[in-house]
Amino acid sequence: MDYICLLFLNICLICTCAASPPNFVLFFADDLGFGDLGCYGHPTSLTPNLDRLAAGGLRFTDFYCTSPVCSPSRASLLTGRYQTRSGIYPGVLYPGSVGGLPLNETTIAEVLKPQGYATAAVGKWHLGFGANGMFLPTKQGFDQYLGIPYSHDMGPCWNLTCFPPDVKCFGLCDVGTVTVPLVHNDVIKQQPVNFLDLEKAYSDFATDFITTSAKKKQPFFLYYPSHHTHYPQYAGPGAAGKSLRGPFGDALLEFDNTIGNLLTTLEKTGVINNTLVFFTSDNGPELMRMSRGGNAGPLKCGKGTTYEGGMREPAIAYWPGTIRPGVTHEMASTLDILPTIASLAGAKLPTVMLDGLDMTEVLFNQGKSKRETMMFYPTDPSEMYGLFALRLGKYKAHFYTRGATHSGTTPDQDCPVFAVLKPHDPPLIFDLEADPSEHYPLPLMGRPDLQALVEQIKTVKEQFEASMVFGESQVFKGTDPNLEPCCNPQCSPKPRCCQC
């Protein structure tokens, strides 16, 4: 009987999709740790709208990004491919970077456009600006864009206001470059950006996009990579001073408020029951910022490392009437979002090597994941070192370990940059179900079962590395100050004169 009901549900879902293609709203937080949300156990985070999504949707406990820093993680999310294939490595792209996400890479937006979807991106792009804005979202399948094209700390901020009435941003941010611009499509609308009004501008833009698409009865894809909760934190009057966590908590609350606004818009326009809402984050918390840097919960280390705290993320899937509320312990990844969306939209997959897997069975039936492995590359992947770690089932093997500047200041001596590169042969093996904190490597002596596991993991690693073709590094193409976005390109002296 249960099988017949399940079959009927799936038939109804397919018929619904055929009659009216589903909409997709993808929220992507920045530097958010596994333990930062109220629904993931943080005692003082104020995230009522995300908590509502988790209560009414599917919450993941074993969801991974592909890199412990920004640009490569975003490349993988939008292409369904490890960043090594697209060349978004090592590290991140900068305002004057010559390279960017190659235009021959296929993004989620480009997958959906042939199906008649309206597409928009709002927030932090961080996949390149380039000559004449050649790498902006509007060149990568998005009809509209409003946002800062890279990280909002990539410009001087010591004299900018981050909290009302006139609380200056914490720290200096990057100096010797242009102030961060607000870009609409490919035109700079404001430089430097006004942080106090920024989130409202994003919320209004996204609301208008959803409302217009719904009125036209056009399916839509909204990609919202937020700046929150990356350093320096900021918040406007709607959230400043209203959380218990200080600047970090206020920034997180502001993002949560926008999520609430957009859920209300989905409801008012009558499309909430035909919309998949997905939330996750790009990498783990920047622990070097201490209380301003987020929380990895029970996981080890954070941003910049291949420990769990650097790459295991909160993730929530919400679709009223279609996704049953619950918690899944199945393994999934940002890589899996593109093929899942393509499947639901009836779109063709790109004819390239994809690393993502369709996770509809997990979403709709809370069934088994097709994903059995997860690969862990460091911030500076290379063919010489290959994978730093690999997860197979519940076991994770570390072939190399290394700390990172981003994960400094913690008591764990494995996390800071002083924990230099260390090879492990045989690899360190952890049972992530029993020990998600990676405290206790399993002893291999006298354990033929674990020794057989190590050999199996090595085989999987060798096969994967043999299939990996590294794309040309876009970061190694270097930077050119003349490519930094300037609203008054003929002005002098740069970068100080770039203001409007």
Side-chain angles (χ1 to χ4, degrees):
M1 190 64 178
D2 287 345
Y3 174 77
I4 295 172
C5 291
L6 188 61
L7 183 62
F8 179 73
L9 177 67
N10 286 339
I11 290 171
C12 287
L13 176 65
I14 292 167
C15 291
T16 300
C17 289
S20 179
N23 310 302
F24 305 102
V25 177
L26 177 55
F27 294 111
F28 205 43
D30 197 357
D31 285 8
L32 189 76
F34 186 81
D36 273 321
L37 302 183
C39 54
Y40 277 80
H42 197 284
T44 57
S45 283
L46 193 56
T47 52
N49 295 296
L50 284 166
D51 296 350
R52 168 189 162 194
L53 290 185
L58 186 65
R59 183 170 67 85
F60 290 77
T61 62
D62 293 62
F63 193 89
Y64 290 92
C65 63
T66 65
S67 173
V69 289
C70 300
S71 296
S73 179
R74 291 156 199 276
S76 296
L77 170 80
L78 287 178
T79 65
R81 288 153 53 85
Y82 282 103
Q83 62 274 13
T84 42
R85 299 192 194 278
S86 59
I88 307 300
Y89 69 89
V92 301
L93 295 163
Y94 289 90
S97 286
V98 174
L101 183 66
L103 299 182
N104 62 355
E105 289 288 332
T106 304
T107 67
I108 296 172
E110 289 169 317
V111 166
L112 293 174
K113 286 302 295 179
Q115 302 302 111
Y117 275 75
T119 57
V122 56
K124 176 180 176 178
W125 177 239
H126 212 178
L127 287 172
F129 186 85
N132 301 311
M134 65 179 291
F135 296 116
L136 285 171
T138 49
K139 307 297 193 296
Q140 308 266 14
F142 291 95
D143 300 325
Q144 304 176 50
Y145 171 61
L146 180 70
I148 298 172
Y150 37 80
S151 186
H152 70 283
D153 68 331
M154 290 183 168
C157 69
W158 71 86
N159 63 342
L160 301 182
T161 300
C162 273
F163 295 92
D166 191 23
V167 178
K168 300 304 181 186
C169 299
F170 183 79
L172 299 178
C173 301
D174 289 354
V175 296
T177 186
V178 296
T179 55
V180 289
L182 179 64
V183 176
H184 181 224
N185 294 334
D186 58 358
V187 177
I188 298 173
K189 305 298 289 185
Q190 187 182 63
Q191 193 171 20
V193 68
N194 184 337
F195 288 124
L196 300 190
D197 296 338
L198 186 58
E199 192 67 23
K200 183 181 185 303
Y202 286 170
S203 181
D204 290 348
F205 176 88
T207 297
D208 289 345
F209 171 73
I210 292 171
T211 303
T212 300
S213 300
K215 283 181 178 177
K216 291 181 178 178
K217 299 189 183 306
Q218 183 178 12
F220 60 84
F221 168 49
L222 174 65
Y223 172 49
Y224 192 167
S226 177
H227 305 289
H228 295 317
T229 49
H230 196 289
Y231 156 89
Q233 286 80 28
Y234 65 87
K242 296 185 179 179
S243 80
L244 297 175
R245 283 190 71 181
F248 187 97
D250 292 354
L252 179 56
L253 174 60
E254 182 167 75
F255 187 30
D256 186 86
N257 286 343
T258 297
I259 291 171
N261 293 341
L262 297 186
L263 289 174
T264 299
T265 301
L266 293 171
E267 291 165 352
K268 285 182 176 178
T269 53
V271 298
I272 186 74
N273 292 330
N274 194 35
T275 302
L276 171 62
V277 179
F278 202 96
F279 171 91
T280 189
S281 181
D282 65 342
N283 50 250
E286 191 173 30
L287 301 176
M288 66 175 282
R289 306 289 176 189
M290 296 179 282
S291 64
R292 291 176 178 264
N295 192 296
L299 306 182
K300 187 179 180 74
C301 303
K303 182 176 180 177
T305 76
T306 50
Y307 292 110
E308 291 292 285
M311 294 176 63
R312 195 194 293 204
E313 293 299 323
I316 304 165
Y318 180 79
W319 189 343
T322 299
I323 293 178
R324 298 197 316 272
V327 176
T328 179
H329 302 292
E330 293 297 308
M331 198 190 323
S333 166
T334 51
L335 292 164
D336 304 330
I337 292 175
L338 181 146
T340 302
I341 287 178
S343 174
L344 293 171
K348 292 182 179 179
L349 289 172
T351 55
V352 293
M353 172 71 80
L354 286 179
D355 299 298
L357 299 166
D358 183 354
M359 55 182 174
T360 51
E361 178 66 19
V362 178
L363 296 181
F364 301 144
N365 302 324
Q366 294 189 18
K368 294 293 292 180
S369 173
K370 294 180 180 179
R371 178 164 297 283
E372 297 179 347
T373 60
M374 193 66 210
M375 311 302 176
F376 296 75
Y377 278 112
T379 57
D380 54 345
S382 68
E383 294 179 88
M384 181 173 73
Y385 288 102
L387 296 172
F388 267 34
L390 185 156
R391 178 173 175 176
L392 176 65
K394 69 175 184 176
Y395 296 101
K396 183 176 178 183
H398 285 273
F399 295 91
Y400 297 94
T401 53
R402 186 177 65 187
T405 302
H406 292 300
S407 282
T409 78
T410 63
D412 189 335
Q413 295 303 304
D414 292 334
C415 302
V417 68
F418 306 109
V420 296
L421 180 68
K422 186 175 182 181
H424 302 280
D425 187 14
L428 301 178
I429 301 292
F430 295 92
D431 178 345
L432 293 180
E433 289 182 358
D435 179 26
S437 303
E438 298 171 287
H439 285 326
Y440 313 109
L442 298 173
L444 302 183
M445 187 73 70
R447 290 288 303 273
D449 57 328
L450 291 181
Q451 292 171 12
L453 172 70
V454 168
E455 292 307 310
Q456 183 184 2
I457 288 174
K458 285 182 176 179
T459 299
V460 171
K461 178 176 182 286
E462 289 168 4
Q463 290 173 346
F464 175 80
E465 290 177 340
S467 75
M468 175 55 64
V469 178
F470 275 64
E472 179 187 7
S473 169
Q474 297 296 307
V475 178
F476 279 154
K477 289 183 176 181
T479 60
D480 179 353
N482 294 316
L483 295 179
E484 294 177 7
C486 180
C487 61
N488 186 9
Q490 307 305 321
C491 73
S492 180
K494 291 180 180 176
R496 192 170 66 249
C497 67
C498 295
Q499 296 189 27
C500 59

